[in-house]
């Protein structure tokens, strides 16, 4: 389409050859003027190719508009129109105005193709109306008979409409195609970025708690070994098991198939917190209530991240985990007494941000903050209806 726009002015120039094949009906010297019009048309086509190329870059990519070449094209077009009017009123063209109309179309189409990508549609329409009035007025003032000014007015309006329908719409179509291509490239980049975020979030969620547990049990094993206690070997065996489990989970994260299991995460949280000397109370609500898989997975990640935060931050002595299903929503509350007296400052960690992303995918919300009396509370809510309908 771009090549067609660049080459289209040249066939238009051939329209000036037709009047040259007809012997002028009036004043002598008309043939040299017609040949001069043909030369002007060739010059217009050469300028139009440059203007169309840079005008398309301006319309599509916002490049600087080619005002200089557009001005040259307008000047050549004005000279051509002036010569056509002169030939018509001096009898150098047929009296009924058919040749004049054809030559006006050829002269003005090249100008329209050169300039119709450089301004707004409203200004182009207004400019077309002004040019139509000027051409018709100049023809009437030069002595053209009654029908010629009207014919010239119609020709100019037709050229303006044709330029909008062809040149401007072609430029718009090319801009849409290029925008679609850019959007496809941006979509691919966003997909890669989203996958990187997912991988980083999963790695944080998977390895955060496991590494905290490994560090805790390793420290406990060191203390037991220094005292000569045989339980040190059991703690190191547990560290080995957790490390092997972490390897398996990392492989699953890489494959993209991992989903947290809520009952397993609750039991794991109880065991880990108890091993750290933290009194853990589990309240799972009404027995026999089965949560949808997506809800279980999302809340499982919440339990894992909350447990990691309890182990890493603060000095908690007790932790309470409550799970409720009320009003079509599953509500998970994790509360501990290791927040201290002063409110926490700074930005939330990447773990909570990752949890919010996971919960938002299933229509859930997450709230985390101090609950007073040195307690920290994390509340996750997930709708059950959306999961079922989804």
């Amino acid at each position: 389409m771009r090549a067609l726009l660049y080459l289209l002015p040249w066939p238009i120039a051939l329209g000036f050859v037709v009047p040259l094949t007809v012997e002028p009906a009036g004043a002598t010297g008309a043939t040299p003027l017609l040949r001069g019009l043909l030369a002007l048309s060739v010059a217009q086509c050469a300028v139009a190719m440059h203007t169309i190329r840079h005008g398309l870059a301006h319309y599509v990519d916002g490049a600087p508009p080619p005002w200089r070449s557009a001005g040259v094209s307008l000047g050549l077009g004005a000279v051509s129109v002036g010569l056509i009017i002169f030939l018509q009123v001096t009898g150098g063209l047929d009296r009924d105005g058919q040749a004049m109309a054809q030559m006006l179309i050829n002269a003005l189409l090249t100008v329209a193709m050169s300039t119709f990508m450089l301004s707004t549609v409203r200004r182009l329409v207004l400019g077309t109306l002004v040019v139509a009035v000027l051409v018709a007025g100049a023809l009437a003032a030069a002595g053209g008979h009654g029908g010629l000014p009207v014919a010239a007015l119609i020709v100019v309006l037709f050229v303006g409409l044709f330029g909008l329908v062809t040149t401007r719409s072609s430029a718009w179509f090319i801009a849409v195609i290029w925008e679609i291509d850019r959007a496809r490239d941006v979509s691919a980049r966003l997909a890669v970025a989203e996958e990187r975020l997912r991988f980083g979030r999963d790695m944080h969620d998977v390895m955060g708690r496991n590494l905290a547990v490994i560090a805790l049990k390793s420290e406990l094993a060191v203390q037991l070994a220094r005292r000569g206690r045989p339980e040190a070997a059991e703690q190191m065996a547990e560290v080995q098991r957790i490390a092997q489990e972490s390897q398996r989970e990392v492989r699953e994260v890489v494959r993209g198939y991992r989903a947290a299991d809520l009952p397993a995460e609750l039991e794991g949280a109880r065991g880990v917190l108890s091993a750290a000397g933290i009194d853990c109370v589990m309240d799972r609500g009404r027995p026999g209530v089965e949560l949808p898989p997506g809800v279980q997975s999302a809340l499982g990640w919440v339990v894992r991240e909350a447990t990691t935060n309890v182990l890493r931050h603060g000095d908690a002595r007790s932790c309470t985990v409550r799970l409720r299903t009320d009003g079509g929503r599953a509500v998970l509350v994790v509360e501990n007494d290791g927040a201290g007296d002063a409110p926490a400052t700074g930005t939330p960690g990447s773990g909570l941000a990752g949890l919010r992303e996971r919960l938002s995918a299933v229509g859930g919300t997450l709230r985390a903050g101090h609950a007073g009396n040195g307690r920290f509370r994390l509340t996750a809510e997930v709708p059950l209806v959306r999961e079922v309908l989804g």
Side-chain angles (χ1 to χ4, degrees), residues 273 277-281 310 315-320 335-338 375:
L273 294 174
I278 300 174
D279 184 23
C280 183
V281 177
V310 172
D315 187 18
R317 295 182 300 274
S318 65
C319 179
T320 302
E335 186 173 329
N336 68 87
D337 61 354
R375 305 189 67 82

Side-chain angles (χ1 to χ4, degrees), residues 144-206:
H145 63 79
L148 291 179
V150 176
L153 181 70
I154 294 174
V155 166
V156 176
L157 294 178
F158 167 76
V159 170
L161 179 62
F162 188 80
L164 288 175
V165 172
T166 56
T167 303
R168 185 68 177 221
S169 62
S170 298
W172 175 84
F173 184 76
I174 292 175
V176 170
I177 295 298
W178 286 7
E179 190 64 31
I180 291 175
D181 188 61
R182 293 192 194 99
R184 186 177 301 170
D185 181 66
V186 171
S187 178
R189 293 177 182 271
L190 288 176
V192 172
E194 183 178 357
E195 180 61 18
R196 287 175 177 171
L197 288 174
R198 181 200 69 82
F199 186 78
R201 183 181 63 229
D202 288 355
M203 286 297 294
H204 175 275
D205 293 343
V206 167

Side-chain angles (χ1 to χ4, degrees), residues 7 10 17 87 98 121-122 200 210 246 250 253 280 321 326:
L7 298 177
W10 292 102
V17 177
L87 284 170
Q98 292 183 3
V121 174
R122 182 178 179 180
N210 289 356
S246 299
V250 168
V253 167
C280 183
V321 181
D326 298 323

Side-chain angles (χ1 to χ4, degrees), residues 194 198 201-202 294-295 297-299 301 353-366 381-383 386-390:
E194 183 178 357
R198 181 200 69 82
R201 183 181 63 229
D202 288 355
V295 174
S297 178
L299 294 181
W301 286 113
L355 288 181
R356 288 190 173 92
E357 293 177 5
R358 292 183 184 276
L359 291 174
S360 64
V362 292
T365 59
L366 179 72
E381 298 185 16
V382 181
R386 172 172 174 170
E387 177 67 24
V388 173
L389 294 177

Side-chain angles (χ1 to χ4, degrees), residues 101-162:
Q102 179 182 353
M103 296 176 74
L104 281 177
I105 291 175
N106 295 333
L108 293 175
L109 268 180
T110 306
V111 177
M113 294 184 65
S114 301
T115 58
F116 270 33
M117 289 181 286
L118 305 181
S119 186
T120 63
V121 174
R122 182 178 179 180
R123 292 178 179 175
L124 293 176
V125 172
L126 181 60
T128 301
L129 293 175
V130 172
V131 171
V133 172
L134 290 177
V135 172
L139 190 58
H145 63 79
L148 291 179
V150 176
L153 181 70
I154 294 174
V155 166
V156 176
L157 294 178
F158 167 76
V159 170
L161 179 62
F162 188 80

Side-chain angles (χ1 to χ4, degrees), residues 332-353:
L332 176 70
V333 179
V334 181
E335 186 173 329
N336 68 87
D337 61 354
D341 296 330
T345 59
T347 58
S350 59
L352 294 181

